[in-house]
Amino acid sequence: MAQRPYIVGNWKMNGTRAMLSEARAIDRAAQRHMKVEVAVAPPFTLVHAVHREAEQIGVGAQDCSPNADGAFTGDISATMVADAGAKFVILGHSERREGYGETSELVRAKADAALEAGLRVIICCGETLETRESGKAEAFVAKQLKVSLPKVEDAGEKISVAYEPIWAIGTGQTATIDDIATMHAMIRKLLIEIYGEEQALEIRILYGGSVKPENATDILGTAEVGGALVGGASLTADSFMSIALAATESVEG
Ligand code: PEP
């Protein structure tokens, strides 16, 4: 059975407890969008608090350690975020790949740890502008995913992929609808090779990169786009839930 569109807010390093009112507003509004799965990934410090407020939305983390426990000062394990109420974790975001040198091998190790802790994972991928302009975007993303994706049964339930061209994140620029469709079709083909058709067709491929209320309808209406990973526009209930509304309308037609 095809899964509901998945609209995930990545709050990045934004939010103190003052943001809980926004989380409550998102949760209340999500109750009017039952055909869409709405989730937010606040900073670690708010995961438990948002989880306690949330009746409808899923709560996730933005990263986790590949290690189970031990002498890793400053790190947070997958078990810890699950204990705090997270149901999923975003892994391999370009801000971690680029800013902290995270390799696809490390992303895979984190994904294994997350799945072991009972979390679902959103595996991010995406190319730089230089790679796109050199015509190698698809090959680059395919290589990232081949290494980053965990081998798991029930992949359709446990894994989502987020295609996020790096040059579109937080810049106001989005990929063209044709480029999104081409990349998502390539990713779907790859998922079928890795997981087999039955599971692969259940995996939602999200688009991320300056998704906002004004472009959500076009993006979410594109073939093989199963939702959106939203940064800036997820910080207020108003803009985030306008994107959820576009997702609802894309289902209802
Ligand atoms: C993101 O952080 O994953 C993202 C896509 O950010 P923005 O929507 O702000 O471009």
Side-chain angles (χ1 to χ4, degrees):
M1 200 186 76
Q3 299 218 41
R4 293 178 291 167
Y6 196 18
I7 305 297
V8 183
N10 172 16
W11 284 4
K12 311 193 187 196
M13 198 174 73
N14 295 296
T16 58
R17 282 178 295 160
M19 274 285 276
L20 289 176
S21 57
E22 220 58 47
R24 271 193 293 274
I26 290 171
D27 191 62
R28 266 198 310 275
Q31 295 173 21
R32 296 194 297 273
H33 294 284
M34 302 299 277
K35 291 182 178 166
V36 176
E37 186 175 349
V38 178
V40 295
F44 286 131
T45 48
L46 289 181
V47 167
H48 188 59
V50 175
H51 160 71
R52 287 181 60 130
E53 299 286 342
E55 288 178 13
Q56 181 62 32
I57 59 172
V59 182
Q62 301 168 20
D63 186 32
C64 69
S65 170
N67 299 299
D69 50 41
F72 302 99
T73 302
D75 281 3
I76 307 275
S77 74
T79 306
M80 290 170 180
V81 292
D83 183 57
K87 295 286 181 282
F88 70 94
V89 60
I90 298 169
L91 294 172
H93 192 283
S94 62
E95 286 156 15
R96 298 212 60 85
R97 290 182 187 263
E98 293 223 304
Y100 300 91
E102 288 197 4
T103 61
S104 293
E105 285 79 4
L106 180 59
V107 174
R108 166 74 195 272
K110 290 182 174 194
D112 288 341
L115 292 166
E116 183 67 30
L119 296 167
R120 293 154 73 199
V121 296
I122 299 175
I123 305 292
C124 302
C125 58
E127 79 288 353
T128 61
L129 189 55
E130 200 185 358
T131 304
R132 172 150 293 275
E133 285 174 345
S134 70
K136 294 184 184 142
E138 285 176 54
F140 180 85
V141 167
K143 190 168 168 207
Q144 268 188 330
L145 285 176
K146 276 182 192 158
V147 181
S148 303
L149 285 168
K151 304 287 173 288
V152 67
E153 280 177 24
D154 305 325
E157 181 52 40
K158 294 179 178 161
I159 296 173
S160 304
V161 170
Y163 167 57
E164 302 201 300
I166 294 172
W167 45 274
I169 295 178
T171 59
Q173 271 185 282
T174 48
T176 66
I177 294 298
D178 275 359
D179 287 344
I180 296 173
T182 304
M183 187 63 84
H184 280 231
M186 184 286 290
I187 294 172
R188 179 70 68 203
K189 204 161 151 264
L190 183 67
L191 292 172
I192 291 172
E193 279 169 29
I194 297 174
Y195 298 110
E197 191 158 312
E198 195 187 334
Q199 290 302 318
L201 293 180
E202 293 292 312
I203 295 177
R204 285 167 296 188
I205 309 172
L206 317 183
Y207 171 80
S210 299
V211 177
K212 38 190 185 266
E214 304 80 60
N215 59 24
T217 299
D218 286 347
I219 291 171
L220 292 167
T222 305
E224 300 294 3
V225 173
L229 182 55
V230 185
S234 70
L235 294 173
T236 65
D238 265 5
S239 56
F240 190 46
M241 295 316 291
S242 299
I243 295 169
L245 174 63
T248 296
E249 287 170 352
S250 78
V251 178
E252 290 177 344

